[in-house]
Amino acid sequence: MKNKLYILLVMALAFTFSTSSCSDFLDEENKVGETADLTYSTSSGIQGLVSSCYSFARGWYGKEAGLGLSEMGTDLFYYGYDNKQKSLTSYNIPAESLDGNSSDNACLDHYWELFYSAVDVCNNALYYVPLNSVISDNTRQQYMGEAYFLRAFYYFHMVNIWGPVPYNNAPITQIVTDPTRVPEEQIYSNILADLDSSIAAFETAGYKIKTDGRANYWAARALKSRVLLYAASWLGKNSITTNTAYAGKDLYALAQTEADAVMGSGIASFYNNYEDTWSMNNEDVTANKEAIWGVAYSSDISTNVNCIPYRYKTDSDGDPLSYNSLITRTGYSRGGSAMLLMFVSMWNNGATDLGGNGKEVFVRPLGESTYYVTNTVTKEKVYVADSYSPYGRGFTRYLPSLYLWRLLEKNRATDQRTEATLLDAYKIAKGLEHSSTNYPLMQDTAIYYCFKDGASAEGKAMQAWAKNRYRIQFVSGGDIPVFTSLAEATALPTEAAKASSDVYSDKRYNSYKIGGWCSYPGIKKFLDNVFNSAYPTHDISSRDAIVLRLAEMYLIKAECQLYTENGNAAMSTINELRKVRAKSGKDNTLSGAATLETVLEERAIELCGEQQRWFDLKRTHKLVDHVTKYNAQASSQIKEMHYYRPIPQSQIDAVTNFSTTEGQGFWQNSGY
């Protein structure tokens, strides 16, 4: 069983979170008093307070709404049939539409509250840890390092989502109705100061190892590398002025130094097999070789141990409200990661071509009664649980764009990452050969997503071979294409049913579920690939979310080298990573000088789905350009205003100093 850092909220958050009748975070009042002083003077009390600082990260990492704000509406993913954030991901969302609608909700108002709640808990930790006299000096320094790290971590997300935001560096002790939006440069300066304090505290404590999902010295330096890169690319390489330690310094050079240090530290290493990075056998961020730090989920997903705290905001009876289900996933009785649901298509309950909701050859294992499928020919019962459970449930939330699919296919012959990332075929369990009525020659493959033009000569030949063997869906063209065209700027997932199949002249595809918005190649690196009889095809997972890992340090270094050295140096670093990711005996290196597009392509291949892409495109000022070129669902709506998300209307309504002039009082981001 995983040994994790779990939530110790019962005492810690009971004293840290107190509520008033006002509307939201800006109106909260912290009535801590003597009881908290007494509680946090104990060893268990202060441990619980520091542990609670981590719990909010589970509301962002591994959750649907966090993915919507960090990966979607980019060049890499489209929204699928049952996506719950279509207005957000297509840039059709005004500030007023953020509250209340659970079927199409950006959850920005909830994230505003969640991040500020997290900051307040960190501020309480930073206040109470130095006052605690019963813990050792080393433990005190470790706790301070963790609290500084996490406060920087949460503010880093806020400044990248909203730009200028209020900055609090002390526990909330009174109602605030006239907050000040602090300039981005100053927030970055504060984040870097916190990370430097974190690094110094961890250094003093000698806390440089991975343990129980806690932040450590090298995690702080890795995050610092990312923060410096983001600040350099978004604000400019000499943009930090209010932090004297960084004034006038080249942030790219500093980011590169941090990345180099982490790469040489030994805190992480590569697996020979890229696939092993994502195996559930290695999902524990403490044990995972490549992970530097991540958000830990307990292996117990049947209780509330993984749940995030309740909201500060209360109902009319004074009881705390719940966060949106897109953030909690399963409410507050049990909790876990939702990543296994987010990138998989309708594989067994799609169109009826595979026999009555797929039950001739497929079944979703949900318990003992669904662990067997009867072969329609031999009448033998075939055990399928361990074959089908890893395919997940398929909520059709997100599908790879034509651009991402093309990038992955371009590297298939030489690079391990394509086959480890792209789920382009569904195989039947052994023993079900020839069991499909509609595909009587079926041997192992049931559905195959082919990156060929179905209308081409090669596509037609492949279709002829597939006839009666398996369902084949071409990227475009053919009987049931995934996309409407091969042009990345205009291609959309297909949506219509096929009333009569061109190949079979029957109605097997006469369902909207055959369209590319429901049936598409998935991203499999977040799937629970190891069957667990305790949680067969569950709706949540115990998979930890890797937030910082070794490969990113190479990518940060390469991007920095574009500006500190040259494209040749950057390509050399990219090729170091590509050699690690190469198939055995294959040359996976690239030639020529790297450009920013080279780096962005490599980040897409390596990091897709890991909740960084929107921020990558934003900070490099490529969001509008790449969405226009590669995302037809959003290209007609995307504008310069979308480099910032709207301040939630509930926050605008809560302040007394609202201004229509940007930079004065509390203003709404331009365009909203």
Side-chain angles (χ1 to χ4, degrees):
M1 179 169 292
K2 296 190 291 184
N3 180 22
K4 290 298 179 77
L5 173 66
Y6 298 137
I7 310 172
L8 298 172
L9 296 177
V10 176
M11 295 297 289
L13 295 184
F15 296 119
T16 306
F17 294 170
S18 58
T19 57
S20 70
S21 60
C22 299
S23 65
D24 217 324
F25 148 74
L26 293 172
D27 301 319
E28 292 307 326
E29 184 177 4
N30 190 356
K31 304 168 185 172
V32 176
E34 295 180 2
T35 308
D37 290 341
L38 182 62
T39 299
Y40 299 145
S41 67
T42 67
S43 178
S44 61
I46 202 67
Q47 179 188 1
L49 178 59
V50 174
S51 296
S52 68
C53 295
Y54 288 87
S55 63
F56 299 89
R58 296 192 193 101
W60 179 264
Y61 285 95
K63 294 303 193 299
E64 182 172 353
L67 276 172
L69 286 161
S70 57
E71 283 288 334
M72 310 309 148
T74 68
D75 51 355
L76 301 188
F77 294 100
Y78 292 121
Y79 59 76
Y81 164 71
D82 65 3
N83 188 281
K84 305 298 182 185
Q85 296 184 298
K86 292 179 182 177
S87 292
L88 171 73
T89 57
S90 61
Y91 298 97
N92 274 323
I93 190 162
E96 290 79 7
S97 69
L98 300 180
D99 300 309
N101 183 358
S102 60
S103 64
D104 188 13
N105 195 334
C107 293
L108 279 166
D109 54 330
H110 285 213
Y111 276 127
W112 180 279
E113 183 177 338
L114 182 140
F115 284 132
Y116 275 110
S117 299
V119 164
D120 192 44
V121 177
C122 293
N123 285 337
N124 273 278
L126 291 168
Y127 175 80
Y128 281 105
V129 167
L131 301 179
N132 187 293
S133 60
V134 300
I135 56 176
S136 69
D137 288 341
N138 268 11
T139 300
R140 183 177 298 106
Q141 288 299 318
Q142 177 193 325
Y143 286 173
M144 292 295 286
E146 291 177 82
Y148 276 123
F149 173 92
L150 289 165
R151 185 170 71 178
F153 179 71
Y154 293 125
Y155 270 121
F156 178 63
H157 287 76
M158 286 191 278
V159 74
N160 280 286
I161 294 170
W162 291 291
V165 292
Y167 189 89
N168 305 326
N169 62 359
I172 298 172
T173 57
Q174 60 184 358
I175 297 172
V176 177
T177 61
D178 59 346
T180 300
R181 292 186 66 184
V182 177
E184 291 170 270
E185 182 276 328
Q186 187 175 335
I187 295 171
Y188 269 105
S189 291
N190 293 342
I191 290 170
L192 289 168
D194 273 355
L195 288 173
D196 286 336
S197 296
S198 175
I199 291 165
F202 283 137
E203 177 79 46
T204 301
Y207 196 68
K208 297 185 176 183
I209 60 172
K210 295 190 290 184
T211 176
D212 294 346
R214 290 183 177 272
N216 59 70
Y217 174 86
W218 291 113
R221 293 195 68 175
L223 181 58
K224 182 180 175 182
S225 182
R226 185 191 288 183
V227 169
L228 286 164
L229 174 69
Y230 274 47
S233 54
W234 176 241
L235 299 176
K237 70 176 185 177
N238 303 119
S239 58
I240 301 299
T241 58
T242 54
N243 185 327
T244 56
Y246 296 91
K249 294 187 177 179
D250 185 338
L251 302 185
Y252 282 118
L254 296 178
Q256 185 175 333
T257 297
E258 294 301 304
D260 265 326
V262 176
M263 288 159 58
S265 68
I267 192 69
S269 60
F270 290 114
Y271 289 99
N272 292 330
N273 249 333
Y274 177 68
E275 214 169 41
D276 290 341
T277 308
W278 304 106
S279 172
M280 283 298 287
N281 290 324
N282 303 316
E283 59 79 30
D284 186 329
V285 288
T286 301
N288 186 286
K289 287 170 60 175
E290 192 174 327
I292 299 168
W293 178 75
V295 175
Y297 282 96
S298 167
S299 56
D300 175 9
I301 56 176
S302 62
T303 71
N304 64 358
V305 68
N306 286 318
C307 292
I308 63 174
Y310 283 92
R311 297 175 63 184
Y312 269 26
K313 192 173 182 180
T314 61
D315 61 19
S316 57
D317 296 324
D319 296 321
L321 294 170
S322 302
Y323 284 103
N324 188 286
S325 62
L326 298 183
I327 296 175
T328 65
R329 173 52 202 151
T330 45
Y332 287 86
S333 61
R334 57 192 180 91
S337 170
M339 292 296 280
L340 76 169
L341 307 174
M342 295 295 104
F343 298 98
V344 189
S345 74
M346 289 186 181
W347 57 276
N348 84 312
N349 60 347
T352 58
D353 61 312
L354 295 171
N357 288 332
K359 292 181 174 59
E360 276 191 343
V361 291
F362 282 137
V363 67
R364 180 180 294 141
L366 297 174
E368 192 69 34
S369 64
T370 57
Y371 284 179
Y372 293 87
V373 173
T374 300
N375 187 306
T376 60
V377 177
T378 67
K379 307 304 179 184
E380 293 181 1
K381 291 180 68 176
V382 178
Y383 180 75
V384 300
D386 56 355
S387 297
Y388 295 158
S389 178
Y391 286 158
R393 291 196 172 195
F395 277 32
T396 66
R397 296 296 203 256
Y398 307 114
L399 65 147
S401 67
L402 175 58
Y403 172 68
L404 177 56
W405 195 357
R406 193 187 302 277
L407 284 180
L408 290 168
E409 288 294 340
K410 185 171 69 173
N411 294 272
R412 181 180 286 276
T414 62
D415 199 310
Q416 298 179 38
R417 291 173 293 185
T418 299
E419 291 170 12
T421 302
L422 197 65
L423 181 62
D424 59 358
Y426 289 95
K427 308 283 189 176
I428 60 172
K430 290 187 181 303
L432 290 177
E433 296 84 358
H434 308 294
S435 187
S436 173
T437 302
N438 284 325
Y439 306 97
L441 301 180
M442 184 176 289
Q443 290 282 0
D444 60 347
T445 300
I447 308 172
Y448 174 46
Y449 300 100
C450 179
F451 196 76
K452 301 287 183 184
D453 180 1
S456 68
E458 187 177 5
K460 290 177 180 178
M462 294 183 73
Q463 176 70 81
W465 166 257
K467 187 174 182 180
N468 294 323
R469 286 183 170 87
Y470 50 82
R471 180 209 301 174
I472 186 169
Q473 292 188 248
F474 294 100
V475 63
S476 183
D479 205 11
I480 42 173
V482 176
F483 292 110
T484 55
S485 79
L486 289 169
E488 291 165 338
T490 58
L492 288 167
T494 56
E495 298 181 5
K498 184 81 170 184
S500 178
S501 167
D502 296 335
V503 176
Y504 297 99
S505 300
D506 60 22
K507 296 181 179 181
R508 69 181 65 192
Y509 302 139
N510 190 22
S511 168
Y512 70 90
K513 295 179 180 180
I514 203 64
W517 65 343
C518 289
S519 182
Y520 48 80
I523 301 297
K524 65 181 178 183
K525 63 185 187 180
F526 307 112
L527 290 175
D528 287 9
N529 65 311
V530 178
F531 176 61
N532 182 346
S533 59
Y535 305 114
T537 325
H538 216 46
D539 57 349
I540 48 176
S541 170
S542 61
R543 176 185 290 277
D544 290 352
I546 302 176
V547 178
L548 296 162
R549 60 185 178 94
L550 184 58
E552 184 190 352
M553 298 299 106
Y554 282 80
L555 294 167
I556 288 175
K557 179 180 178 179
E559 187 172 341
C560 291
Q561 286 174 307
L562 292 175
Y563 307 100
T564 61
E565 299 176 57
N566 53 53
N568 291 321
M571 187 64 87
S572 178
T573 300
I574 288 172
N575 280 333
E576 285 184 54
L577 177 60
R578 289 182 67 89
K579 287 175 185 177
V580 173
R581 301 305 192 212
K583 290 183 174 181
S584 179
K586 299 294 184 179
D587 180 2
N588 194 38
T589 59
L590 301 175
S591 60
T595 65
L596 180 57
E597 284 300 317
T598 314
V599 173
L600 287 174
E601 284 191 9
E602 200 65 25
R603 289 182 70 91
I605 295 164
E606 180 70 40
L607 302 174
C608 62
E610 296 179 50
Q611 299 191 234
Q612 288 205 64
R613 189 59 175 188
W614 190 87
F615 300 112
D616 279 345
L617 295 184
K618 172 196 167 159
R619 66 176 177 79
T620 57
H621 303 268
K622 291 288 187 179
L623 180 65
V624 173
D625 175 69
H626 270 232
V627 170
T628 301
K629 288 179 178 176
Y630 306 123
N631 186 338
Q633 286 180 332
S635 58
S636 64
Q637 293 83 243
I638 187 80
K639 300 175 183 176
E640 291 294 320
M641 63 182 272
H642 293 121
Y643 279 96
Y644 295 102
R645 304 294 194 179
I647 303 296
Q649 189 63 40
S650 58
Q651 301 308 317
I652 298 294
D653 294 340
V655 303
T656 57
N657 62 332
F658 177 70
S659 171
T660 56
T661 302
E662 184 173 337
Q664 295 182 15
F666 194 92
W667 70 96
Q668 177 59 277
N669 283 333
S670 177
Y672 298 102

